[in-house]
Structures are given as structure tokens and as C-alpha cells.
Amino acid sequence: MVHHSGSIQCFRQHKGMFKSKSGTDKVHQMKPSRRSMPCLAQSQTHPQHLNKHTSVQNRVQPQPVSEGTTESDLEQQRDSTKDTYTDDSEQGAYDSRTDQSLLIQQKLTRQKQGSWKSQKPKEDLLNRDKHIFERFPTKPVRDQVGTVASLGLFFKDGIKRIDYILVYKKSSVQLEKRSTFEKNLRAEGLMLERENALTNNDIMFVKIHCPWDTLCKYAERMNIRMPFRKKCYYTDWRSKTMGSLQRNMRQLKSWLPRNPMKLDKEALPDLEETDCYTAPFSRARMHHFTINNRDTFFSNSTRSRIVHHVLQRTKYEDGKSKMGINRLLSNGTYEAAFPPHEGSYKSRHPIKTHGAQNHRHLLYERWARWGMWYKYQPLDLIRRYFGEKIGLYFAWLGWYTGMLIPAALVGLFVFLYGLFTMDSSQVSIEICEANETIMCPMCEKNCTLQRLNESCIYAKVTHLFDNGGTVFFAIFMAIWATVFLEFWKRRRAVLTYDWDLIDWEDEEEELRPQFEAKYSQLERVNPITGKPEPFQPFSDKLSRLMVSVSGIFFMISLVLTAVFAVVVYRLVAMEQFASFNWHFIKKYWQFATSGTGVCINFMIIMSLNVVYEKVAYLLTNLEHPRTDSEWENSFALKMFLFQFVNLNSSIFYIAFFLGRFAGRPGKYNRLFQRWRLEECHPSGCLIDLCLQMGVIMVLKQIWNNFMELGYPLLQNWWSRRKIKKGGQMVENKCTLPQWEKDWNLQPMNAHGLMEEYLEMVVQFGFTTIFVAAFPLAPLLALLNNIIEIRLDAYKFVTQWRRPMPARATDIGIWYGILEGIGVLAVITNAFVIAITSDYIPRFVYAFKYGPCLDEGYRHEKCLQGYVNSSLSVFDLKELGQGYSGYCRYRDYREPPWSSNPYEFTLQFWHVLAARLAFIIVFEHLVFGIKSFIAYLIPDMPKDLCDRMRREKYLVQEMMYEAELEHLQRERKKNGKHYNHEWP
């Protein structure tokens, strides 16, 4: 938000400039929002005679530079294009030194400006100008042409900025398509220049520059919102009542220690932006907009987006579908197409003393470095450099990470509560002191009789996760998931408002080339565009969808087959580990069986993930989605289903099936009449579930982090090694221009942000679905996400080519998936508490069978005798292995001497009824709380709604005022009478 004092100062500076002719400024006004779109100038006077911009179209347009252009031709072309890129009225009123896109600190800026006219040696002046140009690309002087062009951000003349790069091989056979495409690009107003690669003689780069007139034309077509007026509105009552309060709050904050997580605004002066109202750009009303410097009015990301828009809609052959850079990339005409980075992300000089060279350098120093792990993210700068779509991803990731902090603290508290009460737990005490209780053998041949106290360690470890705080934590996490999603809606609304996305709508997407090729014979009129286009008949779409669904079920059955194979391994391995020669393995054979089973399951999971991606890709292409967004949503949904089933199927087996159908001693159930089914440990199955979740979650996150950063690092290292080995490097890497450095980087994933979102959504499932069994999951997710943010930042800034700055208003299909996971989490946690843990059996014993029967459950002493009550008796003589006496096993069955031996007791039915009742009560209670919280939290803050409605009104008023002032100036200029009425 904008500080009050700064806004009042702003109001005083502009009081005369924004004086209303109609008196509308006297109306009580509201506080505006902070807009992320920079005003690009904070001068006290607006540029005069901006209506002359419309005459630029009549001037001589510069011709594109071709391969055979000589230096003399270049010189002539520079002279001919001088008037095109310089407006006398602008240049006279605004020096390039006042450009507010400077990234250095204000103190350094004043020093540079103060010494501008000082007499220095020519060499020092050139070095200083070069350093300034690297940091903020304004218009260079003629003496700097050779130096600036070598930086790789401009054409050879050092004037025209490179907005996009196309790469092709000279040996490519698609010469005719490429020539036609580039000819049409020039016809659209773009300027092209070719240059050979220094490291590969077969590679040719095509540099694209978008002139001012072309930028204005397409900005109007694309309805790009640009800043047109800077105003500060405050109501009288707000100024009076809030003024003293804000002064007191600022004074109080000055006494408090500074928040170390906040970004230092002195280190990020570029983020200190003014309030600007924006409107769709219009050439007819160009005089409304704040244009102080044509080179910086459109940001670099906006320029790249405009060029990409042109590339997507330029034809390369005759025909309806023969257009677009994507088709040329798919058929091999071009090797790559990308916007260039704004320079190097490193500098020989420290940023604190010399400032940032460019936005990329600033992002690296203030965001991507590991030393900034505890700082908030500069979302405005991320959005400005990478676009709104990537900015929203990092905003969501940061919001998710921040919301994990309370969940991690509560989960850690539950774990520590179990740790401190581990030795005082009545259940643990009874198990550790059960020296005379003999347990029945848990396997057929090699297992021996064990005493119950040998499970003392297992009982204590189980208490860490299954204690009195488990139910509370499960309810807390269900509510947390709802609060997280509801407040993300509000956060997203604020971001879309600040980033001027409220009125933005997706452009009508072009059809996928595969869709057009498949259904080119069938056409119908598009109800939106009114033009004929190919369409897919419903019968064909339904049949393909059925085949795709069948493929999904087949892959899910393959996952279940893999889980079944792991179950068979556990049944076979437990006999082998029980007879192992190593005493430690023989003693803890159950832990060895579970541990090796988890590792094998993880290797199967990672192997099948590779198969799933290919199958999902084939099934999605089989459906023939109409547009790229439909293809991405379909592919993302399939990948999520595959990975969710792949990662959680074994966890579901351990949580709800392990030990439930094993039978009883003397009448065990067997798999294929051969292997005895596995049963739970005397302390329960929860320890197996915790081990399964912990190992898979930790190993999965380590593997993902390696693939995200380690693999691109290895690929880039191998590329540099091949260049050096081939002897084609000119002197050293620093001599390469920026476009060639970017070409040697790795391209962004073919599926965009799908893999990043998928990883986080799967982690969200781990954090919420089985959190009752593993309360440390939010803590592990928090630690991983702190690393993940910097890994992704480092990858985007240093290892990947700059992606096309795309726009988006939300996170797409992933929000619906997150809501589905939140609903599933309530159900699974209810079943985990009721079935997997021993919470319900302990609860029933304490209130129905324990020593506190008439007093209610008050303390741990009410569980005295619980362990003995939960163990049934079996006659060892029935085993026929030479044993005598009795052994105990976990179940509620009648003893062998009763009238109905080994039948279920009444306590079993009481526990079963309590479990079912708990599931119903828990689900209805939590779902009710979730719905109530979702109802209480509106999707958009009320003050934001008021500001949006107020701003619409103010924008209309200001447009009227600006038009009135403009027409009155024209009348006065033409000698007509001046009046205060609308002309």
C-alpha cells in the first residue's frame, strides 16, 4: 500500500496539474490501490504536444537489416531512422537521465547526474556511459554504438532494442517458409536483423525489433492497459481521523526492530512505484497517457508479448491454418523462439555500491540467491520480468509456504507432546513392563515366541504420532486447508487488481495445428469470432474420450498390480528376515521388511512416473483437444491422477488393509493358499504408515529438487564443455552476445508450469490426506518449500531461457484439484483415526471397561489394563509345533476355554460401532466447520470491491477531464474562444 505521507506529498506536487474544470476533485475521494504497472515518470509536468505522436506514421520507416547489408548502408539507415525514434518535443522536455526505470539507488543517481557535465577524460566518460547503459537501456549516443551493440541487447546500430530472437539452422530445407514468414513479419511492421552464431557455423539468429508505431498499433488491438494519469485521492474524514493514528503507528514502528523478512526498499528502488490509473491503450487518445520516454513506456515484457502476438498470427504459406511460430517450430523451420534476457545476472561490482545492471541482475541478487531464503519475494518485479502467469505461480507458492508455518508449528507441537509424554503413557508403560506376556508367532516357520516387552520401542515410537493431540490436529488441518484456499482467493483478487487483470480476459485462442489437420474437412461458424473453423463431432469426441478413460483405468490397474507385487514381496521377505543370520535384522525383522518394501515401492513409483508421462501425453493427443489450454488442462488432470494413485496406493494399503484380513492363530488367511497374510505389530500398524509416508515424502522431494536444478546444471555444463572442446569459442564466454548465451541455456519445460504445480499439489496431498498419521508432514513440506522457492527462482533466472511473459488471472485447473484434495483429506483422516490408530479402542475402554467407568475419562490412569484387554488368548497346543501354554494376539475374541471359543466379544462390536459413529460425526462436524468458514470469508475484500467501483467512476471522470483539457488547448491554439463548458 502507498504510505500516507508520500501520497500527501504527491498530491501537493500535482495539485495544480490535476485541478478539475468541473469541480469533481472537490468531491470526497477514496484511497486508491497500489498498482504494479509503473508510471515510468514522476515529473511535475506532463509532456506537451503528445498529439504529434500520431504523425509518426507519416515519417520514413526504417528498412530491415539483411545479411548482405554493408556498414555504409547501416550508417545511412541510422540517419534515416533517426527521426523515427526521436520526437523533438519529447526530447526537449525530457532528458533520458530522468527515466524512472533506473535501478540504482537514489543517492547514486544524484551523484551520476551531478557529475554528468563535469569534464572527464573521454575514456572514463565512455566507460561510465557503458555502465549506465547496461543498467537501464535508454537511447545511447552515437559514440557508444560499437560498445552497446556488443552487449547483445540491441541491433548493430546500437539503437533498436531486441525484443525477440528466432533461431534456425542454415542447413534447414524450410527456406521458402522462413523467407515468406520473415517477409510477412516486415510487412506487419517488425524490423529484423540476422547474425551468425559464434559457436556454431550452422546456427543463424534473427533479431526482432518492434518499432513505436507497431507497438502502439498492437497494444490497441490487444487492449493492453497502460498508465494515463497519476492522482492521489483522500477523503477529508480519512485525512483527519487516520492522519494522527498513522503518525503514531509509524513512530511506534520506528522503535520496534525492523522485520528482517521484508525487502529493503532502498535496495529495490524500482519497486517504489507511484499510483497510476490505467486504461486500454488507444492511439486516438494517446495524449491521455503518461509518455515521458518512448523506449520505456512499454516494458520489456510487454514488448515481447506484443511481438509474440504478431509471431503467432503471421502466415508462412497460403491457407487458413498456415500461420504461427508454433507450427514453424514443430516442422523444423526454426529451432527456437524466445525473448532475450536483459543481460547478465552477475556483476563484478557489488550491488550495494554500484546498483543493479538490469532486472535480471536485480532478481538474482534480491530473490534467487540462497542468502535471500528468509526474505519475502519481490512479486512485482517477478511479474514485470516473467509475466503474470509465472508471477501468480510464485505468489501461490509463497502463500502456500507461509500458510504452512502455523500447520508445521501445530504438527511439531503434537509430535513434541507425544515425545514428552512417551515415557508416562499408560499404554507404553504396560507394554514395556509386560515381561510375562507371550505373543503368538507372527510368521509360519522361522518366527519364535516373543515377549510383549520386546515391543517397547515400537510402542514409544507409535505414541509420538498416536496420542491425545491426533484428533485435534486432524480437525485443525481440515480447517487449515479451507482457510488456505479461501484466503488464497482473496490474495489472488488483490494481485489481479494490483496487476491490472480484473478486466482482462483471455484472448480467443487459436486452434491447435493437430486439431485443424484432423478436422479440416468439417467446419462450422465460431459463435465468438463469427468465422468458420474446424470442429469435432460429438460422437467422435465421445468415442475418443471413452478410449482415454479406458487407458486411465488400465494405468491405474497397473499401479495396483505394482502394489500387489510389493505386498507379495513383504510376505516372502518377512520369513527370510526372521531367519537372518545377523542378530539385529533377525530381532527387528518387521522393521527390515517394511523399510525394504518402502524403498522398492519408491523405485517402482519413480519408474512408473516416466511411463505415466508418456501414456498421458499419448492419451491427451488421442483426444485431440481444440486449444492449447484445453490440452494443458487434460494433460494436467491425467498426470495428477496417475501420480496421486502411484504415490498413495501403497499408503492406502497400509492404512486400511494391512492386518485387517490376516485371520487368527490356527486359522490364518493365506494368499494363493501359500503365503500367510501380514498382520500388524503388537503396537499397531501406525508405525508402518508413518515409515511409508516419511520415506516416500523425503525421497520424492530430494529427487524432484535434483531434477529441477541438478539436471539443468549438468545439461548447461555439458553444452559449455562441447563448445570448448570444439574450439569454437571466441576468446572466452564473456565475448558471446546475450542472444547466444540464452541459446546455450535450457528452454523452459514443454508443458510450462505443469510440473511445478504438480509437485506442489501432490505435496499438498501428503500434507493433508494422511496428516493424522504423520504430523511432521507440514514441517517437512515447509522446509522443502523454502528450498523450492529459491531453486525455482535460481532456475528461472540463471538456467533457463527467458519464457514468454504470459498473462493469467488464476492458477487454472489446480485450484479445483486442491479443493478436491481438501474434501478427500477429511474422509481419509476420519478413517485413519477410527481404523488405523488405537484412539477409538482406547476411548471405548476408558468409558466402558476401564477403572474410570463411572467417573469419565480424566487421566491416563483410566487406561490401566487396556493392553491386557486388547489382547486375546490362544492355546499353543493347536499350532502342533510342540508348544504348550497360551499366547496372546491383537484382537477381541473369546478365550479357548469359553463356550464359543475364538468368537468376537461384545467389546469388539462396541469398538466397531464407535468407529463408525466417529467417522460419521467427524466428517459432518468438519465439513460443517469448513462450509461455515468458507461462507464467512468472502472471495474478495470489501475495501477492494469499493475501490474497484470507485476507480471505475474516477477513471471515467478523469478521461472526460483530460479530453476537455485537450480540446480547450486546441481551441486556444486555433484562436477560438476559451470557455469552461464541454465543447
Side-chain angles (χ1 to χ4, degrees), residues 424-437:
S424 60
S425 171
Q426 184 66 31
V427 178
S428 300
I429 292 174
E430 291 185 3
I431 291 178
C432 294
E433 293 178 354
N435 300 323
E436 304 298 330
T437 304

Side-chain angles (χ1 to χ4, degrees), residues 738-783:
Q738 186 60 47
W739 59 78
E740 195 153 353
K741 293 179 183 178
D742 293 348
W743 165 247
N744 293 326
L745 296 177
Q746 297 300 312
M748 188 177 176
N749 291 332
H751 309 309
L753 294 170
M754 193 276 298
E755 293 185 3
E756 278 71 22
Y757 275 118
L758 178 62
E759 179 187 354
M760 290 297 101
V761 170
V762 169
Q763 182 203 86
F764 180 80
F766 269 103
T767 307
T768 55
I769 293 179
F770 290 99
V771 72
F774 192 55
L776 292 180
L779 179 61
L780 294 179
L782 174 63
L783 297 177

Side-chain angles (χ1 to χ4, degrees), residues 52-121:
K52 292 184 179 181
H53 289 174
T54 56
S55 64
V56 174
Q57 300 174 358
N58 300 326
R59 296 179 181 175
V60 179
Q61 290 293 333
Q63 299 298 323
V65 181
S66 60
E67 291 180 292
T69 305
T70 62
E71 288 297 323
S72 61
D73 295 334
L74 282 173
E75 188 69 20
Q76 294 176 2
Q77 193 178 59
R78 288 187 212 112
D79 295 337
S80 65
T81 58
K82 181 176 180 181
D83 293 337
T84 304
Y85 294 93
T86 305
D87 186 87
D88 296 336
S89 62
E90 276 188 25
Q91 194 174 18
Y94 297 96
D95 195 287
S96 62
R97 297 190 303 270
T98 63
D99 182 12
Q100 294 303 311
S101 65
L102 306 186
L103 302 178
I104 59 176
Q105 301 177 16
Q106 297 176 0
K107 187 179 295 185
L108 293 174
T109 306
R110 290 193 293 269
Q111 293 175 359
K112 293 287 184 182
Q113 294 175 357
S115 61
W116 183 269
K117 297 182 180 180
S118 62
Q119 298 297 327
K120 288 188 176 183

Side-chain angles (χ1 to χ4, degrees), residues 634-645:
S634 179
F635 181 75
L637 183 60
K638 291 182 181 63
M639 285 299 298
F640 170 75
L641 289 176
F642 288 160
Q643 288 222 12
F644 180 82
V645 175

Side-chain angles (χ1 to χ4, degrees), residues 530-743:
K531 299 178 181 179
E533 66 176 19
F535 83 103
Q536 184 180 16
F538 177 76
S539 58
D540 182 79
K541 185 176 183 178
L542 181 61
S543 61
R544 292 179 179 275
L545 185 61
M546 294 300 296
V547 174
S548 179
V549 171
S550 301
I552 293 174
F553 278 108
F554 173 76
M555 296 306 300
I556 292 177
S557 64
L558 185 62
V559 175
L560 300 180
T561 303
V563 173
F564 181 76
V566 174
V567 172
V568 173
Y569 162 80
R570 292 170 65 105
L571 299 180
V572 175
M574 68 179 184
E575 292 283 353
Q576 303 301 321
F577 284 125
S579 60
F580 212 72
N581 294 329
W582 191 5
H583 176 71
F584 178 80
I585 298 295
K586 186 175 182 178
K587 183 177 181 181
Y588 300 103
W589 60 270
Q590 285 184 309
F591 181 80
T593 301
S594 300
T596 55
V598 171
C599 294
I600 293 174
N601 186 38
F602 177 76
M603 289 188 289
I604 294 176
I605 287 172
M606 301 311 297
S607 301
L608 290 179
N609 277 346
V610 179
V611 180
Y612 294 156
E613 184 172 357
K614 298 183 181 301
V615 173
Y617 187 83
L618 292 175
L619 292 178
T620 307
N621 286 335
L622 179 65
E623 295 175 7
H624 285 297
R626 178 176 172 271
T627 62
D628 286 331
S629 62
E630 292 180 6
W631 191 96
E632 291 177 2
N633 289 339
S634 179
F635 181 75
L637 183 60
K638 291 182 181 63
M639 285 299 298
F640 170 75
L641 289 176
F642 288 160
Q643 288 222 12
F644 180 82
V645 175
N646 193 23
L647 290 170
N648 292 283
S649 54
S650 58
I651 299 177
F652 270 92
Y653 164 75
I654 293 176
F656 304 127
F657 296 99
L658 179 62
R660 302 288 180 267
F661 309 100
R664 63 172 178 82
K667 194 178 180 181
Y668 285 111
N669 298 322
R670 299 178 182 274
L671 183 63
F672 301 134
Q673 302 298 321
R674 181 175 180 181
W675 294 297
R676 170 182 162 184
L677 294 181
E678 191 176 3
E679 57 182 313
C680 293
H681 196 270
S683 299
C685 292
L686 199 64
I687 186 64
D688 295 300
L689 182 59
C690 296
L691 180 65
Q692 184 86 5
M693 288 190 61
V695 171
I696 290 180
M697 190 172 183
V698 172
L699 293 182
K700 184 77 165 53
Q701 291 177 348
I702 293 175
W703 176 259
N704 287 339
N705 291 336
F706 169 76
M707 291 302 294
E708 286 189 7
L709 183 62
Y711 188 63
L713 282 173
L714 291 176
Q715 286 181 315
N716 291 332
W717 171 81
W718 184 253
S719 299
R720 293 192 298 267
R721 183 177 180 275
K722 287 195 299 183
I723 293 174
K724 293 180 180 179
K725 188 176 180 180
Q728 297 174 337
M729 176 67 73
V730 181
E731 295 181 1
N732 52 54
K733 183 182 177 182
C734 295
T735 61
L736 290 179
Q738 186 60 47
W739 59 78
E740 195 153 353
K741 293 179 183 178
D742 293 348
W743 165 247

Side-chain angles (χ1 to χ4, degrees), residues 365-379:
E365 292 290 338
R366 302 304 180 194
W367 180 48
R369 281 196 309 113
W370 293 106
M372 309 300 292
W373 64 270
Y374 62 95
K375 294 284 188 180
Y376 293 137
Q377 299 183 88
L379 294 178

Side-chain angles (χ1 to χ4, degrees), residues 786-802:
I786 293 175
I787 301 174
E788 178 74 21
I789 291 177
R790 305 305 156 180
L791 274 179
D792 286 346
Y794 186 82
K795 177 177 61 179
F796 272 94
V797 174
T798 68
Q799 300 302 310
W800 278 1
R801 298 172 193 161
R802 186 177 183 180

